[in-house]
Amino acid sequence: MGDLGGRYAAYTARLVDGVLASPGHTPGELRRAVLARAAQLSGSGSDASSPLSQRERGTRVEDATGASGETIPAALAAYADKVTRHAYRVTDEDLGALQRAGTSDDALFEVTVSAALGAALGRLERGLAALRGE
Amino acid sequence: MRLRAVEHRHRLPQRLKLALIRLVSGRRVPDVVKTLLYRPEFFGRPMCDWTQAVMRGPSPWSVGERELFAAFTSHLNQCRF
């Protein structure tokens, strides 16, 4: 089971690439910051022995310092945190408020996916660490 | 669907796929499919590749066992699928 992370690492890297590097309606830096913040909130550590690919680890660690919120507008950060911690609590009003403030549907789509992917990667890493007995 | 763009603003090839799914199934297309087909290069295509590899690719776990893991995880996330 030790190669679990490695077995799917290429697929995960392509997924991260698509979300962070595809042309979009939000700056790639914003998506990167949202993803890194979500991964941290979901338990991503800085363990160098993590079987996640170097690329994913780089995404996480390099952005950790930039993910403190200064590059993410407060309202978007609050929404992304909700998606990360308990997406089932997101309401029409959460999105309505952001839309009324001028955030486009495409921008919300990108932020939502970035937060969800970051949360998934953080949880994956935490699960793999548990399998290693950490 | 809370985002109108993801509900209605697919590009032509994806719109055709959605229409075909509606026609064949005779039902409303599930939101998850609309999400995966919206700007697929951004998320849907690599996500489908990932899901196919993890859920159907070579594994010590059977397909049924993997589906059970996924269902249990969704249950913990209070998300039915």
Side-chain angles (χ1 to χ4, degrees), chain A residues 48-95:
Chain A
S49 67
S50 162
L52 290 180
S53 73
Q54 188 60 46
R55 182 176 214 140
E56 291 151 35
R57 196 176 308 136
T59 297
R60 188 191 71 229
V61 175
E62 283 165 17
D63 296 326
T65 51
S68 56
E70 74 276 12
T71 59
I72 310 172
L76 269 186
Y79 168 70
D81 287 355
K82 204 167 186 179
V83 171
T84 301
R85 292 181 194 278
H86 30 238
Y88 57 89
R89 290 190 191 165
V90 171
T91 64
D92 291 347
E93 180 48 32
D94 291 329
L95 287 160

Side-chain angles (χ1 to χ4, degrees), chain A residues 15-38:
Chain A
L15 183 53
V16 172
D17 255 1
V19 171
L20 296 184
S22 293
H25 297 246
T26 53
E29 294 74 25
L30 174 69
R31 285 177 254 160
R32 191 173 285 274
V34 167
L35 186 146
R37 179 183 171 97

Side-chain angles (χ1 to χ4, degrees), chain B residues 23-79:
Chain B
L23 189 69
V24 171
S25 69
R27 294 181 180 187
R28 184 181 169 278
V29 180
D31 286 350
V32 65
V33 175
K34 290 180 186 169
T35 303
L36 291 171
L37 288 177
Y38 186 70
R39 292 169 53 195
E41 71 288 349
F42 171 72
F43 171 65
R45 199 168 295 138
M47 184 70 220
C48 286
D49 291 345
W50 189 94
T51 306
Q52 184 67 24
V54 171
M55 298 299 286
R56 296 291 184 272
S59 168
W61 301 104
S62 72
V63 168
E65 286 166 334
R66 284 178 266 177
E67 289 289 343
L68 186 62
F69 298 154
F72 182 62
T73 304
S74 285
H75 171 73
L76 294 178
N77 284 329
Q78 301 196 30
C79 171

